[in-house]
Amino acid sequence: MPLIHILALLQGAATVSTTPAIRINQLGYLPDAPKVAVFCSVAPIDIGNFNVTDAAGKKVLQSTAAMAKSFGPCVANYRLDFSSIRKPGEYRITAGGVASPIVRIRANAYSGAADTLLYYMREQRSGFNPLFKTVVHTHDGIVVDDSARGGKFVPVTGGWADASDYLQYVMTSTNATFVMLMAYRDHPGSFADRFDSRGLPERNGEPDILDEARHGLEWLARMFPSDSEMYNQLGDDRDHTYWDIPPNDSADYGWGKGKERPVYPCTGKPQGLFKYKNRSNGLASTAGKYASTFALAATVYRKRDPAFAAKLHQKALSAYAIGKKFPGVCQGAPGRAPYYYEEDNWVDDMELAAAELYALTRDRIYLRDALEYASREPVTPWMGADTAKHYQWYPWHNNGHYEIWRNANLADRKIVSEYYRKGLAAVVSRADNGFRIGIPFIWCSNNLMASFATQAYLYRRMTGDNQFREYEQAALDWLFGTNPWGVSMVIGLPHDGVFARDPHSVVAKEMHVELTGALLDGPVYSSIYKNLLGISLHEPDEYASFNTGFIVYHDDVGDYSTNEPIMDGTANLSYLLAAIGNPR
Ligand SMILES: [Ca+2]
Ligand SMILES: [Ca+2]
């Protein structure tokens, strides 16, 4: 038995218990931020007060534990508010006979955190991959599902594997690239230069976030080579037949093991080569994402690389025109299984595209378009809902409202700020539990959590209104450990914290790589977990005592629903971590 298995079994045996726990944000708290730990007990218990001691063991606060509504496994749920402590240092909280892990209060608690995410992005690279130190997926790819062009080879090596499989989507890769560019534009001071453009550990004079964004842009430019060719997806779920690392990927799409992968264009019609079809009915969801990403990149690279910027500027205009001409969605293409990205909204994507084109060109037609699209979907529809289809409303928050706001007059600024407020209020109306969490626990719940926090942050910056501050912090805290399991949902953040040791990843499993910086999918409704195909735990569940409620999380390689790292979710978190990692 490999060492990793023995360790996991020992950990599992040692930690299953019904002892209450105090859950905290393990990465730490900014001195002026709201600071609330959550006491969780799977059995009823009355705890009264809680105490906070400093590093010397001196009591610095005694206060009343605020009883809250039960949540998931936490039958007894208390909020322990220690916001009054602002002095940087290390503390410990005790309540109900148990102690918290070390609580950190630091002005630089998030410094470098956004850069840490990039370790995972580099590991996910197709084309030259710095982990394997070789070029992976060199034969991409052959056009399928297109009567005019089927069978044609198009050179589209590059980009990122979407998750622990090796499929690649324009839908998620554009959003990942966009958010990284936006994070750099707004918070350049949060990013360092330690790696080169190939992702190798040598500085190259460029911030690493731009090295990563450019890796995405180069691939996206190949996936949209001309006005008549807009590609959307590389590979399909036949990828899942083998459990190989990328350099030895055996996937066989009919051209031999490890050979060409299929490239799906946007056709405006339902797609799927086998039994299952998606509901594609247009091009605008993909065209809008290309346009917004290329337009923002053209702005960012205007001085750094004028030729590259000019090329992307032109592609942004072309993609936007295609989106106007072919409204509707271009969804992920299913293969053998019924799971695919079922994006149903496209006006959000065209809004963001129009907002970026206005920023780039100052042509007021784009601003008018942006506001019109925004009015058609003011609130991202999962906000306030119990459930949604897989990636039905994507991106999970609409950066378009903020991008309009940056360049709009006072009246229009009020309109788009109000759109954000409505979405936040809808989530908050469901958040009357001890964790102050109001998102639906569908697949990839961590992405919803990160997006809720990001939207709340943007709203606060846009308006100065702090009414959602507590909930913004609660979502951030959740991602770094203030959740029923006490697990940071980002691998290796912080490195001395509790995080996934057994993610659903062949690279992690076979190569004993930590996958530092990866954001996991996150907890799901137990009803979803029970109904997924081919899912089972490979080892005893070390979090079994906290998996008794309506949501579950498993640190197990077998759980592809809660413990799989995800590329676009990781990139999506970069904005928020950059923003709070470099407080102004
Ligand atoms: Ca660099
Ligand atoms: Ca959309």
Side-chain angles (χ1 to χ4, degrees):
M1 180 181 280
L3 182 63
I4 187 169
H5 288 197
I6 296 166
L7 285 174
L9 287 174
L10 287 173
Q11 283 169 353
T15 53
V16 172
S17 83
T18 53
T19 310
I22 298 171
R23 302 308 193 191
I24 61 158
N25 180 330
Q26 298 170 33
L27 203 47
Y29 300 83
L30 298 175
D32 294 331
K35 306 174 198 75
V36 182
V38 176
F39 181 95
C40 168
S41 169
V42 298
I45 179 174
D46 245 331
I47 63 168
N49 289 335
F50 70 95
N51 293 314
V52 183
T53 51
D54 66 13
K58 187 180 147 212
K59 195 198 297 188
V60 293
L61 178 71
Q62 179 172 67
S63 188
T64 310
M67 194 193 287
K69 213 167 122 182
S70 68
F71 180 81
C74 307
V75 171
N77 212 191
Y78 292 87
R79 288 178 70 72
L80 316 178
D81 188 337
F82 59 103
S83 302
S84 61
I85 302 176
R86 289 163 190 267
K87 191 180 165 193
E90 295 192 341
Y91 301 87
R92 211 178 275 279
I93 303 169
T94 52
V98 291
S100 71
I102 287 175
V103 175
R104 301 180 178 111
I105 299 177
R106 297 190 301 206
N108 63 352
Y110 295 87
S111 293
D115 261 341
T116 300
L117 303 175
L118 300 180
Y119 282 91
Y120 177 66
M121 298 302 289
R122 287 187 286 267
E123 184 276 323
Q124 287 298 98
R125 284 191 185 194
S126 196
F128 182 80
N129 182 300
L131 176 66
F132 305 110
K133 297 193 172 55
T134 186
V135 181
V136 302
H137 290 123
T138 50
H139 305 291
D140 296 333
I142 289 178
V143 180
V144 296
D145 203 14
D146 181 341
S147 54
R149 235 184 310 272
K152 176 187 168 181
F153 178 83
V154 284
V156 292
T157 293
W160 301 283
D162 199 53
S164 291
D165 53 10
Y166 308 133
L167 273 71
Q168 296 182 227
Y169 300 90
V170 167
M171 172 188 169
T172 51
S173 300
T174 43
N175 186 51
T177 306
F178 184 93
V179 174
M180 289 192 288
L181 290 168
M182 183 179 161
Y184 175 74
R185 181 199 62 195
D186 289 0
H187 305 285
S190 290
F191 297 99
D193 170 23
R194 297 192 187 91
F195 293 84
D196 67 14
S197 63
R198 303 209 303 168
L200 294 169
E202 191 162 334
R203 50 193 308 174
N204 64 346
E206 278 284 282
D208 298 339
I209 188 90
L210 286 190
D211 289 323
E212 208 55 40
R214 182 145 187 168
H215 179 77
L217 288 166
E218 303 273 9
W219 182 69
L220 293 169
R222 278 176 218 128
M223 290 290 280
F224 181 44
S226 75
D227 286 6
S228 60
E229 290 172 282
M230 180 170 280
Y231 298 110
N232 195 47
Q233 178 174 323
L234 174 55
D236 61 41
D237 68 26
R238 285 174 282 175
D239 170 277
H240 302 179
T241 313
Y242 298 95
W243 182 244
D244 294 329
I245 57 171
N248 312 327
D249 184 8
S250 303
D252 185 345
Y253 292 96
W255 302 297
K257 278 190 179 184
K259 292 290 198 262
E260 286 80 2
R261 297 193 293 172
V263 183
Y264 289 80
C266 286
T267 60
K269 300 189 189 89
Q271 288 176 301
L273 298 178
F274 307 102
K275 179 178 165 190
Y276 302 103
K277 306 283 178 208
N278 66 20
R279 301 184 304 279
S280 289
N281 59 7
L283 273 72
S285 64
T286 292
K289 291 190 190 73
Y290 271 120
S292 58
T293 306
F294 289 149
L296 176 56
T299 308
V300 169
Y301 283 96
R302 184 152 31 196
K303 286 194 182 134
R304 289 178 173 269
D305 186 343
F308 186 53
K311 175 175 129 176
L312 297 181
H313 185 143
Q314 203 48 50
K315 280 186 186 290
L317 296 174
S318 303
Y320 187 74
I322 290 171
K324 291 279 275 192
K325 193 169 170 190
F326 301 103
V329 290
C330 175
Q331 297 184 329
R336 300 280 189 194
Y339 306 130
Y340 59 97
Y341 285 153
E342 304 184 55
E343 186 182 10
D344 269 339
N345 60 348
W346 56 271
V347 294
D348 57 335
D349 306 301
M350 290 299 285
E351 174 194 342
L352 183 59
E356 291 314 321
L357 284 170
Y358 178 60
L360 181 64
T361 65
R362 295 289 157 172
D363 182 340
R364 294 193 70 81
I365 284 178
Y366 292 118
L367 178 60
R368 195 196 61 197
D369 276 8
L371 285 161
E372 199 272 322
Y373 285 127
S375 72
R376 292 166 68 175
E377 190 182 282
V379 174
T380 304
W382 69 260
M383 294 186 166
D386 279 328
T387 190
K389 295 188 183 115
H390 194 37
Y391 280 56
Q392 186 174 9
W393 314 114
Y394 184 86
W396 308 285
H397 71 278
N398 183 349
N399 283 312
H401 298 343
Y402 169 66
E403 294 294 299
I404 289 174
W405 177 88
R406 292 182 80 243
N407 295 305
N409 65 27
L410 202 57
D412 292 336
R413 284 186 156 197
K414 275 193 178 152
I415 290 171
V416 290
S417 301
E418 176 61 13
Y419 293 163
Y420 272 164
R421 192 199 62 74
K422 274 188 186 166
L424 296 168
V427 175
V428 164
S429 71
R430 301 159 44 91
D432 62 342
N433 50 68
F435 290 90
R436 295 292 188 264
I437 294 304
I439 66 151
F441 283 90
I442 52 177
W443 215 350
C444 301
S445 67
N446 280 342
N447 298 336
L448 304 184
M449 204 70 80
S451 269
F452 171 81
T454 307
Q455 179 164 320
Y457 169 84
L458 293 174
Y459 173 78
R460 182 160 60 89
R461 287 292 304 273
M462 288 156 66
T463 61
D465 177 355
N466 280 317
Q467 66 170 301
F468 303 115
R469 185 72 183 88
E470 180 185 10
Y471 299 91
E472 173 193 334
Q473 184 71 37
L476 179 73
D477 290 347
W478 175 281
L479 291 175
F480 291 105
T482 312
N483 54 56
W485 310 273
V487 175
S488 169
M489 295 291 163
V490 181
I491 295 176
L493 266 183
H495 210 263
D496 59 356
V498 177
F499 54 83
R501 306 290 165 160
D502 206 8
H504 176 79
S505 157
V506 63
V507 172
K509 188 78 183 165
E510 301 302 320
M511 299 185 65
H512 305 280
V513 173
E514 185 184 85
L515 299 186
T516 308
L519 177 71
L520 303 171
D521 277 349
V524 296
Y525 291 126
S526 46
S527 56
I528 289 183
Y529 175 76
K530 283 178 196 143
N531 288 316
L532 285 167
L533 303 173
I535 206 162
S536 66
L537 301 188
H538 294 196
E539 288 166 358
D541 177 11
E542 58 267 61
Y543 299 108
S545 54
F546 292 100
N547 279 328
T548 53
F550 74 107
I551 49 176
V552 293
Y553 165 76
H554 308 104
D555 182 11
D556 192 290
V557 68
D559 187 354
Y560 65 80
S561 70
T562 72
N563 212 37
E564 180 171 0
I566 187 158
M567 182 279 291
D568 63 323
T570 301
N572 185 51
L573 186 56
S574 69
Y575 188 88
L576 184 64
L577 294 189
I580 59 178
N582 186 27
R584 281 180 289 184

